[in-house]
Amino acid sequence: MPKVGVKDTRKQQLIEATMHSIAELGMQNTTIVSISKRAGMSSGIISHYFGGKQGLIEAALRYLLDQLGKELRERMAKTDGSPEQRLNCIIESNFSEFQRSALAAKTWLSFWARSMHEPGLKRLQQINNARLYSNLRYSFAQVLGPRAATAAARQTAAMIDGFWLRSALSLDPQESFEAGETLCKRFVYEALSQAETTNSSF
């Protein structure tokens, strides 16, 4: 009988091999052969576990999304749940060490470009966008009115995505990621501070 956990281990190895192949060769040049070689497995096992290259690529994107969610939950568990701390946790998880690593950054960039042509990847990207916006709006709504919370959430989401993209493509990504994270947190602080000042004046 196979050992318990062997299937999950192999699937994870294939997902990581896919990310390495995409980072090195790009999405277009990543093939079942390039993935299987990096994983040290036969090409047939990819079809067995994922149904083919497309299924494996979508699994790799889900892995990135799962990591993002895991990092957010871990950070949230260490806070007192205040709106500003929750918002900072959301920002930090998007700019975490893993999410801004060369491997993750190159994979994300390839996914974003490909999602315009692949319905499965587009759907996963839309889920990620909706989740980010929902988390941001919930936290802003604890302090701001409905319309202001919506506007602040949209702006913060745009800043996170924009600064992340610019940083990933910059000559000094790590410095740019740090600066982008700081500017996003500054916007959150100022948005919440303005609301508190307005409320205290009544």
Side-chain angles (χ1 to χ4, degrees):
M1 295 179 63
K3 295 181 179 178
V4 176
V6 169
K7 178 180 178 180
D8 290 339
T9 298
R10 287 178 176 173
K11 291 175 72 173
Q12 183 60 36
Q13 289 173 338
L14 287 168
I15 287 172
E16 292 175 0
T18 300
M19 293 174 61
H20 281 285
S21 181
I22 291 173
E24 181 181 346
L25 304 175
M27 184 80 76
Q28 189 68 28
N29 294 321
T30 288
T31 64
I32 289 179
V33 174
S34 70
I35 295 169
S36 60
K37 283 184 176 179
R38 283 166 175 77
M41 301 181 196
S42 67
S43 300
I45 202 168
I46 293 177
S47 296
H48 176 68
Y49 285 146
F50 299 99
K53 173 187 170 182
Q54 188 61 30
L56 180 49
I57 287 176
E58 290 182 14
L61 178 52
R62 282 194 294 271
Y63 171 72
L64 287 177
L65 295 174
D66 288 344
Q67 286 298 111
L68 186 58
K70 177 183 176 183
E71 291 170 340
L72 177 57
R73 290 190 297 273
E74 290 175 349
R75 283 177 165 79
M76 291 288 197
K78 299 176 183 178
T79 71
D80 61 10
S82 69
E84 184 175 1
Q85 288 190 345
R86 288 179 59 88
L87 289 163
N88 283 339
C89 285
I90 296 170
I91 293 169
E92 289 168 4
S93 64
N94 279 272
F95 288 95
S96 69
E97 183 176 349
F98 173 76
Q99 296 296 337
R100 65 188 187 186
S101 68
L103 177 62
K106 290 179 180 179
T107 306
W108 271 119
L109 291 172
S110 294
F111 280 139
W112 279 350
R114 195 66 178 175
S115 66
M116 292 186 290
H117 310 283
E118 297 286 348
L121 297 181
K122 183 176 182 179
R123 178 181 60 82
L124 290 173
Q125 183 57 41
Q126 289 174 336
I127 290 173
N128 182 46
N129 291 342
R131 185 181 299 166
L132 174 60
Y133 167 75
S134 177
N135 286 334
L136 290 168
R137 193 188 182 288
Y138 173 83
S139 295
F140 274 119
Q142 308 306 305
V143 179
L144 308 178
R147 292 181 62 182
T150 296
R154 287 175 176 169
Q155 186 165 344
T156 306
M159 290 177 69
I160 289 173
D161 288 343
F163 281 127
W164 191 97
L165 179 59
R166 289 176 64 90
S167 299
L169 298 173
S170 71
L171 295 176
D172 189 350
Q174 294 309 310
E175 181 179 351
S176 295
F177 276 126
E178 292 175 3
E181 180 179 342
T182 298
L183 289 170
C184 288
K185 287 182 176 180
R186 182 180 299 171
F187 170 76
V188 165
Y189 173 78
E190 291 176 352
L192 296 179
S193 296
Q194 289 178 359
E196 291 174 355
T197 299
T198 300
N199 292 336
S200 64
S201 64
F202 289 97

